[in-house]
Amino acid sequence: MNDLLPFLPGQLQQVFDGIPFFMPEIYLSALFVVLLVTDLIFGRNGAWICRIIACCGLLVIALKDVEQLKLLLTGSQLFFNNMLLLHEKTVAFKLMIDILSAVLLLYFNWDDQLASHKKGLTDLYSVVIAAVFGMHLMVMAVNLLSIYLSVEMVSIASYLMVAYRAENAISSEAGLKYVLFGAASSAIMLYGISLLYGFGGSLNLFGSNLMPGLMQVNPLAVALALLLFMVGIGFKLSFVPVHFWVPDIYQGAPTPVSAFLSTVTKVAAFGLLVNLLTPFIFFPGFSKVFNFSLFLSVIGIITMIAGNFAATMQRNLKRMLAYSSIGHTGFALMALVNFNADMQGITALTFYLFAYSLANIGAWMLVSYFSNTANAENMEDFKGLGFKFPLASVAFVIILISLTGIPVTAGFYGKFLVFSSVYTVYQDSHNIWFLLLMITGAVTTVVSLFYYIKVPLNLFLRKTERTTSFSSTSNYLLVSIAIISLLVVCLGLFPDFLVK
């Protein structure tokens, strides 16, 4: 112990120096404590207070994220003993996480099945804030230990959200499956981390020891370690072959929770992947040990094919959106395949993720809306509802058009940016994998039209004989759906608002 005393002042000074770069996360911690205290004071009757505090708190934290840009005028900043990294793209990812989470927190109370839960939603709001804190750490983590801890923090919060409706058998089953699959992927990832640490002698991705150490080891051993490590990341991204949990969990979980898992957690996982890939891709000669570009190309192609073709065979709308999200993951991986110094691929990725997340949240809101009003969950349940609920049905068409990638929506411009970034690199390298990626992306986009069009086909072109009465639902939900539809179109017409 006495031998460590001389180093304590320096370590403490590093902690104090890193606090300005960690202010949004400190505010998140305070918000979590405030929600817990509010829940203790008001109990179930304070659900609306907790919701207001959580949403307003996230908006304040989003402003704190923007303020961090002033700290980056001199470039990226490593802090907390090189455990975390802050740069402009990190701020963009955190901003997306906070804004989308605030929207989802409002949405939780508008889903009748979730809102009617006997425990109330106060606990769920606290869990979401804890998950957001973990996702902030994910997008900043550049140490193998901080990566693992942040992923586990988000995973535990996700397990609680999926199984929140414990009295429901389907939800309980989904929660149990998610925990089992998550624990297995976590163990595999941890084993991969231990191998990387053993081979490189360091946990720091941007340190001077890890990459040279890995270069001295048998390439097959390094490839095995990286593949094991990527299992944990792939579980969060739900790319093939660690995607099999998605349909059952998304169908069994409360609909707003499925929206959360398919959007916000994916944004955080892609932010983590950006930091993870940077040292491996830019270190001279490492592509001969493990070619991440080839790995992501193969995974992206398989994921796009598996997700989109499986979605065409689904009758349940939640399962269709689950497989659709897998296909979108494969498409987003295209942007990382051409990871280069000019960051064109990362810019395309951030816009695509925001456009996809916005439209996907709108789609899940519509699932809740039609479930609340017409108890519609399968495709045949939507027959003839287009004229019963015209505003929601038109909004559904607009949102599905964006998810498909048809002009003039944000989804189209997002896909255009991704295709452009890949094509730019293909012109220089003539890499056959880039060409295959573009072909697969174009074909699966056409395929996605076949299953997305089933919804408007049933809404407007097929008649129903059902005579049951329809229920009323929250007008706030319909207003939010309309706003999201409008934003999707506006971002398609004026994308320069986000892409400079």
Side-chain angles (χ1 to χ4, degrees):
M1 182 67 182
N2 291 332
D3 295 336
L4 298 177
L5 289 177
F7 299 98
L8 287 180
Q11 295 295 323
L12 289 174
Q13 188 60 45
Q14 284 193 359
V15 172
F16 291 136
D17 291 343
I19 288 177
F21 306 106
F22 201 66
M23 287 307 298
E25 291 67 42
I26 293 175
Y27 275 77
L28 268 173
S29 303
L31 178 60
F32 178 76
V33 173
V34 169
L35 286 174
L36 287 180
V37 173
T38 304
D39 185 18
L40 289 173
I41 294 173
F42 295 98
R44 183 178 176 180
N45 296 327
W48 66 274
I49 302 176
C50 289
R51 184 167 65 256
I52 292 173
I53 292 173
C55 293
C56 294
L58 283 175
L59 294 179
V60 171
I61 291 159
L63 293 176
K64 291 295 177 181
D65 291 334
V66 175
E67 288 179 5
Q68 286 192 311
L69 293 172
K70 300 176 183 178
L71 302 174
L72 301 175
L73 297 177
T74 57
S76 304
Q77 298 289 338
L78 283 163
F79 60 101
F80 289 167
N81 201 23
N82 298 332
M83 297 285 285
L84 302 175
L85 173 66
L86 188 68
H87 52 80
E88 288 185 358
K89 294 303 178 184
T90 298
V91 174
F93 280 112
K94 291 200 295 183
L95 201 55
M96 275 195 287
I97 290 168
D98 295 338
I99 293 173
L100 295 173
S101 296
V103 174
L104 286 164
L105 281 172
L106 290 173
Y107 168 32
F108 282 178
N109 193 57
W110 299 333
D111 182 81
D112 287 355
Q113 293 182 354
L114 188 57
S116 62
H117 184 42
K118 61 182 181 181
K119 290 191 300 185
L121 299 181
T122 52
D123 293 336
L124 190 58
Y125 298 138
S126 301
V127 173
V128 169
I129 297 303
V132 171
F133 180 86
M135 287 185 278
H136 272 230
L137 296 181
M138 278 179 67
V139 300
M140 294 191 294
V142 289
N143 184 286
L144 295 177
L145 180 59
S146 61
I147 288 174
Y148 180 76
L149 292 176
S150 61
V151 169
E152 283 303 290
M153 183 178 294
V154 176
S155 296
I156 293 172
S158 300
Y159 302 153
L160 294 173
M161 284 190 282
V162 170
Y164 194 75
R165 293 179 62 221
E167 80 288 351
N168 182 282
I170 298 176
S171 183
S172 296
E173 181 184 354
L176 180 59
K177 286 181 179 179
Y178 195 29
V179 170
L180 293 175
F181 294 150
S185 68
S186 175
I188 294 171
M189 181 176 71
L190 187 59
Y191 184 50
I193 288 174
S194 67
L195 289 177
L196 290 173
Y197 176 62
F199 295 153
S202 175
L203 293 171
N204 187 4
L205 291 176
F206 289 88
S208 58
N209 296 326
L210 181 61
M211 302 308 298
L214 294 178
M215 294 287 287
Q216 303 302 317
V217 181
N218 188 308
L220 290 178
V222 175
L224 175 63
L226 287 172
L227 288 174
L228 293 174
F229 181 41
M230 288 299 295
V231 167
I233 311 299
F235 181 80
K236 288 298 174 193
L237 290 173
S238 66
F239 61 59
V240 177
V242 285
H243 69 294
F244 46 83
W245 60 274
V246 173
D248 290 339
I249 275 65
Y250 282 19
Q251 184 180 10
T255 304
V257 173
S258 299
F260 188 90
L261 295 177
S262 65
T263 55
V264 185
T265 55
K266 284 196 177 186
V267 171
F270 271 107
L272 170 59
L273 193 56
V274 168
N275 288 337
L276 174 64
L277 292 177
T278 301
F280 291 103
I281 288 179
F282 290 107
F283 192 84
F286 191 81
S287 59
K288 297 178 182 178
V289 178
F290 188 85
N291 192 331
F292 263 107
S293 180
L294 175 60
F295 170 75
L296 293 176
S297 296
V298 173
I299 292 296
I301 290 171
I302 296 173
T303 302
M304 280 189 282
I305 293 173
N308 284 286
F309 278 92
T312 60
M313 298 181 285
Q314 305 305 313
R315 294 174 56 198
N316 183 275
L317 190 58
K318 292 178 75 173
R319 292 184 73 87
M320 187 201 79
L321 289 175
Y323 280 110
S324 164
S325 73
I326 295 172
H328 281 283
T329 295
F331 197 92
L333 288 173
M334 287 178 62
L336 289 178
V337 168
N338 61 323
F339 201 155
N340 47 38
D342 63 8
M343 303 297 283
Q344 182 182 1
I346 307 303
T347 301
L349 175 66
T350 51
F351 185 90
Y352 180 81
L353 285 177
F354 185 74
Y356 157 73
S357 297
L358 196 62
N360 206 44
I361 289 173
W364 286 105
M365 283 184 173
L366 282 158
V367 171
S368 289
Y369 180 83
F370 282 103
S371 177
N372 294 348
T373 55
N375 197 27
E377 294 183 356
N378 297 320
M379 289 295 180
E380 54 268 21
D381 298 334
F382 286 82
K383 290 180 179 179
L385 296 183
F387 299 102
K388 296 285 185 181
F389 308 100
L391 179 58
S393 300
V394 171
F396 216 155
V397 174
I398 293 172
I399 285 169
L400 292 178
I401 284 174
S402 182
L403 288 172
T404 306
I406 297 175
V408 286
T409 58
F412 166 75
Y413 193 76
K415 288 196 171 185
F416 172 76
L417 285 178
V418 174
F419 273 118
S420 298
S421 62
V422 176
Y423 182 70
T424 300
V425 179
Y426 172 73
Q427 283 184 309
D428 297 331
S429 64
H430 295 286
N431 188 319
I432 187 65
W433 287 105
F434 293 164
L435 179 61
L436 290 175
L437 267 174
M438 290 187 289
I439 293 173
T440 306
V443 171
T444 52
T445 295
V446 175
V447 171
S448 69
L449 184 61
F450 284 93
Y451 59 82
Y452 283 136
I453 205 172
K454 290 180 182 179
V455 178
L457 180 67
N458 282 286
L459 284 172
F460 293 105
L461 300 181
R462 290 182 178 168
K463 296 182 179 179
T464 181
E465 297 179 357
R466 62 183 289 175
T467 58
T468 56
S469 60
F470 299 103
S471 306
S472 60
T473 189
S474 171
N475 290 327
Y476 294 116
L477 181 58
L478 187 58
V479 170
S480 300
I481 291 167
I483 291 173
I484 288 176
S485 302
L486 184 62
L487 284 174
V488 161
V489 174
C490 289
L491 285 176
L493 293 172
F494 308 104
D496 291 343
F497 180 74
L498 293 180
V499 181
K500 301 298 182 183

